[in-house]
Amino acid sequence: MMYRSLTHDEQLATLRTSLAAQQAIRRAADTELAAATDALRTAQSALTTATTANTQAQAQLTAARAALSTAQRTLRTVSHRKPRNAAALTRARNAVTTATQTVATRNSEAAKGVAALTTAHAAVTAATSRTSQASTAVTDGTAGLNRAENAITALPSAATLAAQAAAISRDVVTQIRAGFAITDTTQVYGVTVNKTIAFAFQHMIDDAKADGVQMSGGGFRTTQRQAELRTINGCPDVWTAPPSSCRVPTAIPGRSLHEIGLAVDISSGGKTITKKTPAYTWLTRHAKQYGFVNLPAEAWHWSITGN
């Protein structure tokens, strides 16, 4: 039998864990998209500033070059005048020197402006790429979130899953009963059970013990032993009387799941459990997770079908 395979609560818990993970992914994607969008706005603002500064620097460089050209023409004119005017010549030369220095300064500023503009363009490109990736992550996160939510919505009800589990259990009983042999059983902490439920039964005993509840029991018994119990339990007829006619309800030989190792009469502390014992309380809360169902008339009887 599959351990916890058809338990609604287990599946729901798993799906909710998945949903929480998808929600975290979506939140992270939203945060990254917001940060990327802010970075893009900042980069675009910086690009605008750099573009304006570069335009101004280029205009100033053009003006400085024009001023230098004018100063150079003036110097040539003054140099050719007769008689020479020393003061005018000095002023013209100084003007050329100043204009040359201004052009050099403007050239440097223009170069810095171009570099800043290049950097700003690169920043906008990077921020645009980051925003695109973040937007894709949000889209993917939304899709994942929707899938998780849809999976929870589509999860069959506990009743539906219980019906599926019951159907599987009935099929198992039918298949096992036809070809059952003693070699199909095994021991789990001293309890003989069918190998098909050994894994689940062991986990149930272990988990109960971890919760402070000690359990053991009686599992497989032969058809002969079943007949003996019918006699001991006062059934009017060993082979035909209904279980309810016995002092202690006991299945007709050949029909008991004990005879194929698929039922266990649970005991705790060396005594058969009742509805007042902690073991019964634990089982009513958890046994379904391991594929075990109680026969209402017998607090101690737990099997894969409840019979």
Side-chain angles (χ1 to χ4, degrees), residues 259-297:
E259 296 170 67
I260 52 176
L262 295 179
V264 180
D265 287 342
I266 301 294
S267 61
S268 182
K271 297 180 180 180
T272 300
I273 68 170
T274 68
K275 291 184 178 181
K276 296 181 180 180
T277 57
Y280 178 81
T281 300
W282 190 93
L283 286 166
T284 57
R285 292 175 179 171
H286 304 290
K288 64 180 181 180
Q289 298 175 1
Y290 308 87
F292 289 91
V293 184
N294 178 235
L295 177 62

Side-chain angles (χ1 to χ4, degrees), residues 23-177:
Q23 289 171 332
I25 290 173
R26 172 58 193 276
R27 284 194 297 271
D30 286 341
T31 299
E32 170 59 13
L33 179 57
T37 301
D38 286 343
L40 178 58
R41 279 196 293 265
T42 299
Q44 288 172 331
S45 177
L47 177 60
T48 299
T49 300
T51 300
T52 300
N54 183 62
T55 299
Q56 292 174 345
Q58 293 297 332
Q60 289 172 344
L61 175 59
T62 299
R65 285 172 175 169
L68 175 59
S69 179
T70 298
Q72 288 171 334
R73 284 197 302 271
T74 299
L75 177 59
R76 285 194 296 271
T77 299
V78 171
S79 297
H80 289 90
R81 284 178 182 170
K82 301 294 182 178
R84 285 192 174 188
N85 185 325
L89 186 58
T90 298
R91 286 195 298 273
R93 286 173 176 167
N94 289 341
V96 169
T97 299
T98 300
T100 300
Q101 292 173 344
T102 300
V103 167
T105 299
R106 297 308 183 197
N107 262 324
S108 177
E109 291 173 348
K112 291 178 180 178
V114 170
L117 187 60
T118 300
T119 299
H121 273 298
V124 168
T125 299
T128 300
S129 176
R130 179 184 175 187
T131 301
S132 177
Q133 291 174 353
S135 180
T136 298
V138 168
T139 299
D140 292 344
T142 300
L145 187 58
N146 288 339
R147 285 194 297 271
E149 291 173 341
N150 291 338
I152 289 177
T153 301
L155 180 66
S157 67
T160 298
L161 288 173
Q164 292 175 359
I168 291 174
S169 296
R170 287 193 297 271
D171 289 342
V172 169
V173 170
T174 299
Q175 294 168 16
I176 289 178
R177 195 183 292 279

